[in-house]
Amino acid sequence: MIDLSVNFGGIKAPNPFWLASAPPTNSGYQIMKAFEAGWGGAVWKTLGVPVVNVSSRYGSVNYRNSKMMGFSNIELITDRTLADNLREMEEVKKYFPDHAVIASLMVESRAEWEQIIKDVENAGADGIELNFGCPHGMCERGMGSAVGQEPEVLKTIVGWVKEAANIPVITKLTPNISDIIPPGLAALQGGTDSISLINTIKSIVGIDLDTYAPYPIVDGKGTNGGYCGPAVKPIAMNMLKDLAQHPEIGRIPLSGIGGIETWRDVVEFILLGATSVQVCTAVMHYGFGIVREMEAGLRQFMEERNYNTIYDFAGKALPNVTEWKHLNLEHKVVAEINADKCVGCELCYISCDDGAHQAISLSDDPLNRIPSIIEENCVGCNLCSLVCPVEDCITMVKKDDGTEHSSWNERTLNNDIPTTFNDDRAGGKGHFVPKPSDALKI
Amino acid sequence: MAEYKKPKTEAEFENNFKQKNPLMNDTEAYYEASRCLFCYDAPCIQACPTSIDIPLFIKQIHTDNITGASKTIFESNWLGNACGIVCPTGVLCEGACVYNHQDVPPIKIGRLQNYATNKTIDAGKVIFKVGESNGKKIAIIGAGPAGIACACEARTLGYEVDLFEAKEKPSGLTVYGIAPYKITNEEVLKEVEYLQNQLDFNIKYKATINSKAALKSLEDDYDAIFIGVGLGKTRNLELEGEEKENVIGAVEFVEELRMKHHKLAVPKKVVILGGGNTAMDAASEAARMGAKKTVLAYRNSKEKMGAYRFEYDLAISAGVDSLFNVTPIAITGNGKVEGVKFAKTEMVDGKLKTNMNNTFIVRCDMVIKATGQAKQGHLYGLIDDLEIDTKKRIKTNDEFQTSNPMYFAGGDAINGGAEVVNAAYDGKMAAQGIHNWLNK
């Protein structure tokens, strides 16, 4: 029997699908609608002293025919009064006592933190999320990512909050740093019950070629926005991995955020150690209904592998994510083209010849557009298989027998690494490269 | 003009009856699925008689959750595989796709649906379970789409189910009555087998229920009975010479073709009477069987034809000629058909009038009557208190229950002849109706 319920650092929810603190959680109406649709939790749009927002708030990156592959916003925290938000929060909890309602908070002084924590606790919030991530507007006022970028300040505020709060505390981190560990450790040392990440990334999504202003344009000007959507998922997953693998931080629950749209994204985040996921952009694009696809897919995945809860596979990918120096240098794959499937686009040829290792050749017969792999030149980089538009046409075939293992680390210990500029142990030594002048013969 | 040569082998037959909706490959399915906009309150769902959550299954295909996609499909429509191929999607889901408003081709929903279910069926993925037994039994008369759908739904609700089928194969018109270029026998039968393997319902073949005694024993042995008998033989036109050799009903013609393939003899000149989708199918098929001349004759104008425009176009592209505003008044010939005598018709004050002063003969060797099927009146007469409407369709309420509370009905028997998808919906909902009634 599959049980999707989670206990995330003391916050219980019927499933790990939560809405991130963002426009979709601006009101009780939206959150109730989301719970009806199947979401298990929601982080309320950040509460604090209400702001005044600009008109024209979102911008997007479209790629080919995909709309909103990347998404950027310059909206601030809630612009509604605290009283309105609290009244609605109370009502939501009345209808959905078993769903997780988490209040995202962002205020300045210790007194404000203490007051607003008391207020949201009285309204029935199941947890608090500290917004130390917002990278536009609020950070100019010393809040949001300004806090997330200063581990000491972050630790102090988490400490204040933990002292005042009777409900679990999630600390939400900003990715606008060079290393996620210091803020992660600071949150842990401040006493946080759990961490969520990532918040949005500082970005400019485009420039209007008529006005030379960045999107979204506010009366001829723009500012950096917070970038999110499918495009940021790889960055989020890497930071999640960093925290999950950390011996201390990895012990507290982690909520994954960043470009999650489908069940596959959800499973990938869980495999990297997340035990709840938060979604915003996909909901802003398609509405709350997308949770059906996520849940159906997650259940199917779990059913096929006999997992009963998400904890049965949470973090299972972590042992396989290692440092470069531990990768096996003896492993060898080579591309293979299935001539029956090839459609003759020759993208593999040109990508390899211009962009990689000149390991694909064309036929002399102009009617034969099927390229062939020059096996001795192929370094197994995958590029051709990535550009090939046909499913399973170019596959990477394992050539080593799996018996040998030597990593950079091991070779370093054995004094078997190139150390001088013209070292014979250079990996590319002897690898075929055409003569420079051959380029002029084509 | 004849477009097709007479098929002499199975391979030639297959070539003449090439599948109109061939199976998609992985790449095409992936690309096509990526085009779906995932509309809110999607028009395609509204247009589907079984309300399949189409954007959901397309997204599931796109995220490679094929089994999940199939589950989404079958949960709404037990004959999801067949419907993906034979549904008139152009007037249903695909006709409703918002891309049509942008002059962009709509998502190929039917073929995506078939792609998912076909993969799941071939992989033999078990996605449904028999419900916990409730000790009750349902008899289903007719193993067509309505009966099969009713059986599947009833099994998930925990009923024992026996189907009584007059013919030798399940699926009714899906296997016996649909044009062979729309779906192959194998494709139909494997879906039923797949469902039967999971839901374990019993089909008794060559088990015609046509006597009071047979009905009595069903009434004694079962808690409820579902009538999914579809329609009967082609109706008689009461034409002079109608009894002549080679005057055949369209349903009977298609059935013979589906069973005999290239071994069915189709003569040189064929006249098809009718203007509905069955007429278009029969005409297309006669042409693909290599008839030198195939003529479609309809009593009213082209605009008044009941057939979908794309079905007519398909017949025309197969080399079929058409005659409008003509009505047959006699079939001529000496023992065998030699021609059809037609009279011209015209609209007078909104009514179609036959002008007997304007007649002509079209010479032919075969006449296919696609002018409607008779209802299964004999069976209905045997059931106590069964109410029939003026068009001889069984009357049912919202729960698909007939005026005799023990009997439920669905499919062509209640709608007078519609699509497979309508029958699949009726059968499913009837099983729920039975469940509600027995648990009152």
Side-chain angles (χ1 to χ4, degrees):
Chain A
M1 218 16 221
I2 291 175
D3 176 8
L4 291 184
S5 67
V6 293
N7 182 341
F8 184 83
I11 301 170
K12 290 183 185 149
N15 64 47
F17 310 114
W18 298 0
L19 293 173
S21 172
T25 57
N26 190 49
S27 66
Y29 164 77
Q30 289 164 292
I31 292 175
M32 297 253 279
K33 206 174 157 194
F35 287 170
E36 273 289 290
W39 295 86
V43 186
W44 208 283
K45 173 138 175 126
T46 306
L47 307 175
V49 178
V51 299
V52 178
N53 270 310
V54 291
S55 180
S56 181
R57 303 179 190 178
Y58 310 137
S60 96
V61 174
N62 302 333
Y63 185 71
R64 299 262 183 90
N65 62 344
S66 289
K67 290 266 208 176
M68 274 168 67
M69 183 208 72
F71 187 68
S72 174
N73 86 90
I74 56 169
E75 193 174 292
L76 306 181
I77 65 170
T78 189
D79 57 6
R80 308 173 69 217
T81 65
L82 185 61
D84 284 347
N85 280 303
L86 295 175
R87 195 184 59 249
E88 290 179 6
M89 190 179 285
E90 217 175 311
E91 196 178 334
V92 172
K93 277 311 294 181
K94 214 173 282 164
Y95 279 97
F96 294 94
D98 300 327
H99 283 59
V101 174
I102 297 144
S104 171
L105 305 178
M106 188 200 287
V107 288
E108 285 190 85
S109 70
R110 181 165 193 173
E112 282 174 325
W113 278 110
E114 286 168 354
Q115 182 59 49
I116 201 165
I117 288 166
K118 200 175 292 165
D119 288 343
V120 297
E121 283 184 349
N122 287 337
D126 300 292
I128 292 165
E129 186 180 81
L130 310 179
N131 181 342
F132 295 154
C134 184
H136 45 86
M138 302 314 286
C139 55
E140 296 168 15
R141 305 172 199 175
M143 292 181 276
S145 63
V147 176
Q149 290 164 340
E150 294 295 337
E152 278 306 312
V153 182
L154 187 154
K155 184 163 84 179
T156 308
I157 298 181
V158 174
W160 295 346
V161 170
K162 275 304 290 179
E163 224 169 280
N166 298 303
I167 52 177
V169 175
I170 309 171
T171 304
K172 184 169 178 177
L173 300 182
T174 176
N176 298 293
I177 37 88
S178 54
D179 181 3
I180 196 72
I181 296 299
L185 261 182
L188 186 72
Q189 287 157 1
T192 194
D193 297 292
S194 56
I195 289 175
S196 58
L197 82 171
I198 59 173
N199 204 308
T200 55
I201 304 168
K202 270 191 190 234
S203 61
I204 286 178
V205 291
I207 300 287
D208 182 83
L209 297 189
D210 294 320
T211 62
Y212 298 171
Y215 298 116
I217 304 167
V218 182
D219 193 23
K221 299 248 184 287
T223 184
N224 81 269
Y227 197 46
C228 54
V232 311
K233 180 183 141 194
I235 297 165
M237 293 211 296
N238 183 54
M239 291 190 166
L240 170 65
K241 173 269 297 177
D242 283 347
L243 293 190
Q245 286 186 335
H246 190 275
E248 291 160 67
I249 308 169
R251 281 194 225 127
I252 61 171
L254 301 170
S255 186
I257 314 169
I260 296 170
E261 180 179 314
T262 72
W263 73 271
R264 300 185 79 94
D265 303 329
V266 172
V267 169
E268 289 173 44
F269 272 78
I270 295 174
L271 287 170
L272 285 171
T275 49
S276 86
V277 292
Q278 298 186 29
V279 178
C280 166
T281 312
V283 165
M284 290 183 74
H285 197 159
Y286 301 112
F288 298 124
I290 54 154
V291 75
R292 290 171 295 161
E293 188 275 340
M294 289 183 186
E295 182 175 340
L298 177 63
R299 283 183 181 277
Q300 187 69 34
F301 171 84
M302 290 171 67
E303 209 173 288
E304 283 172 7
R305 288 161 181 81
N306 282 321
Y307 293 136
N308 293 320
T309 75
I310 65 160
Y311 300 99
D312 293 345
F313 65 100
K316 284 235 177 190
L318 291 172
N320 299 326
V321 190
T322 181
E323 286 175 285
W324 194 97
K325 64 183 176 198
H326 298 306
L327 300 178
N328 186 8
L329 297 169
E330 303 299 328
H331 179 61
K332 171 94 179 144
V333 290
V334 164
E336 208 171 87
I337 298 174
N338 182 334
D340 293 338
K341 291 191 172 182
C342 176
V343 293
C345 70
E346 294 182 356
L347 281 173
C348 58
Y349 164 76
I350 202 65
S351 66
C352 184
D353 211 65
D354 288 5
H357 298 90
Q358 301 81 43
I360 299 182
S361 63
L362 297 179
S363 160
D364 293 333
D365 172 7
L367 292 177
N368 176 11
R369 288 185 58 92
I370 302 172
S372 22
I373 304 288
I374 307 164
E375 200 176 316
E376 55 276 23
N377 283 6
C378 178
V379 301
C381 74
N382 297 345
L383 181 61
C384 56
S385 72
L386 299 176
V387 299
C388 178
V390 183
E391 204 87 355
D392 297 327
C393 174
I394 301 186
T395 45
M396 303 306 294
V397 182
K398 192 170 176 239
K399 290 289 171 179
D400 68 291
D401 60 7
T403 55
E404 280 176 63
H405 190 280
S406 92
S407 63
W408 181 258
N409 204 39
E410 289 158 356
R411 283 181 60 170
T412 307
L413 293 173
N414 293 333
N415 288 322
D416 187 25
I417 54 167
T419 49
T420 58
F421 290 136
N422 296 307
D423 202 305
D424 276 347
R425 288 168 293 198
K429 175 116 180 155
H431 179 80
F432 169 80
V433 174
K435 289 201 296 278
S437 57
D438 286 352
L440 307 177
K441 292 182 190 156
I442 296 167
Chain B
M1 269 307 292
E3 300 274 339
Y4 292 93
K5 275 197 185 137
K6 196 177 182 61
K8 295 200 183 69
T9 62
E10 184 62 25
E12 285 177 10
F13 177 84
E14 276 174 21
N15 198 40
N16 283 10
F17 287 87
K18 216 171 257 162
Q19 291 300 296
K20 216 175 121 239
N21 294 314
L23 194 60
M24 271 186 180
N25 62 39
D26 293 345
T27 308
E28 190 181 6
Y30 182 74
Y31 287 170
E32 190 63 11
S34 75
R35 293 207 304 129
C36 177
L37 298 172
F38 202 72
C39 297
Y40 174 68
D41 195 15
C44 53
I45 306 181
Q46 293 171 7
C48 173
T50 61
S51 306
I52 295 176
D53 193 337
I54 294 162
L56 176 61
F57 89 66
I58 293 180
K59 205 165 180 83
Q60 288 173 316
I61 290 173
H62 195 239
T63 60
D64 200 26
N65 180 8
I66 305 298
T67 310
S70 297
K71 210 185 233 172
T72 304
I73 295 161
F74 284 125
E75 268 170 3
S76 290
N77 181 348
W78 288 109
L79 294 146
N81 190 54
C83 286
I85 315 172
V86 305
C87 259
T89 51
V91 295
L92 297 174
C93 52
E94 292 173 20
C97 179
V98 296
Y99 273 131
N100 290 299
H101 303 304
Q102 248 181 307
D103 288 331
V104 169
I107 306 284
K108 292 176 184 133
I109 299 169
R111 290 183 61 210
L112 280 172
Q113 179 170 319
N114 174 232
Y115 165 81
T117 49
N118 193 74
K119 270 202 151 184
T120 304
I121 290 170
D122 283 352
K125 289 255 181 190
V126 176
I127 49 179
F128 292 102
K129 272 194 289 218
V130 175
E132 199 184 322
S133 172
N134 59 26
K136 292 186 178 133
K137 289 167 74 182
I138 299 174
I140 294 175
I141 309 176
I148 299 283
C150 183
C152 291
E153 188 75 6
R155 288 297 284 148
T156 61
L157 294 167
Y159 293 87
E160 289 296 317
V161 174
D162 292 318
L163 292 105
F164 299 86
E165 170 55 49
K167 293 196 154 67
E168 291 170 24
K169 290 188 171 79
S171 291
L173 286 184
T174 322
V175 81
Y176 288 104
I178 288 176
Y181 46 84
K182 290 188 182 158
I183 193 166
T184 63
N185 293 2
E186 296 74 43
E187 187 95 25
V188 182
L189 298 175
K190 80 179 179 188
E191 180 171 34
V192 176
E193 195 187 329
Y194 169 75
L195 294 168
Q196 215 175 351
N197 282 344
Q198 290 177 64
L199 294 168
D200 193 27
F201 47 82
N202 184 22
I203 309 181
K204 299 177 201 292
Y205 294 106
K206 292 181 159 179
T208 314
I209 304 291
N210 58 2
S211 68
K212 194 104 188 158
L215 285 168
K216 175 79 173 58
S217 92
L218 292 187
E219 287 171 12
D220 291 344
D221 295 346
Y222 295 87
D223 297 280
I225 299 167
F226 175 76
I227 311 169
V229 292
L231 301 172
K233 294 204 165 84
T234 301
R235 212 175 20 226
N236 259 342
L237 290 174
E238 313 299 342
L239 278 182
E240 184 193 326
E242 197 174 346
E243 72 296 334
K244 289 189 201 308
E245 199 181 320
N246 269 4
V247 178
I248 182 171
V251 184
E252 292 76 12
F253 172 73
V254 179
E255 179 172 336
E256 269 204 74
L257 179 68
R258 285 293 295 255
M259 296 305 127
K260 292 185 182 164
H261 284 188
H262 64 281
K263 290 176 190 135
L264 177 69
V266 174
K268 282 184 183 157
K269 290 183 195 160
V270 183
V271 168
I272 293 93
L273 305 175
N277 290 320
T278 310
M280 302 305 135
D281 274 359
S284 248
E285 288 161 28
R288 284 164 203 259
M289 285 302 287
K292 289 259 183 307
K293 194 163 178 61
T294 313
V295 181
L296 189 65
Y298 179 51
R299 65 193 161 87
N300 210 323
S301 66
K302 189 168 163 182
E303 292 68 39
K304 289 271 164 99
M305 277 195 309
Y308 297 126
R309 183 64 205 229
F310 71 87
E311 297 281 19
Y312 173 70
D313 291 344
L314 199 65
I316 296 303
S317 72
V320 173
D321 294 331
S322 43
L323 285 171
F324 295 103
N325 285 103
V326 294
T327 190
I329 46 176
I331 290 170
T332 63
N334 188 10
K336 252 186 173 172
V337 175
E338 285 169 17
V340 182
K341 187 173 184 186
F342 287 103
K344 292 290 276 180
T345 66
E346 55 204 355
M347 272 294 185
V348 182
D349 301 329
K351 276 190 180 157
L352 198 65
K353 287 262 167 69
T354 305
N355 182 354
M356 293 302 278
N357 296 325
N358 190 351
T359 66
F360 61 98
I361 288 177
V362 174
R363 302 196 66 84
C364 65
D365 320 302
M366 181 181 236
V367 176
I368 301 174
K369 299 180 291 179
T371 44
Q373 289 169 262
K375 310 294 188 292
Q376 307 269 30
H378 171 68
L379 174 70
Y380 304 164
L382 300 174
I383 300 169
D384 295 335
D385 305 322
L386 188 74
E387 273 186 43
I388 307 294
D389 70 10
T390 50
K391 289 183 171 165
K392 295 186 183 160
R393 298 173 300 199
I394 302 175
K395 280 199 201 171
T396 56
N397 63 18
D398 293 347
E399 299 270 288
F400 292 87
Q401 188 171 31
T402 70
S403 49
N404 178 333
M406 193 178 179
Y407 286 85
F408 288 70
D412 284 358
I414 68 166
N415 62 32
E419 304 296 338
V420 175
V421 66
N422 301 103
Y425 174 77
D426 291 359
K428 180 185 175 76
M429 299 317 285
Q432 291 179 11
I434 291 170
H435 187 62
N436 292 340
W437 179 62
L438 290 175
N439 288 290
K440 241 183 198 160

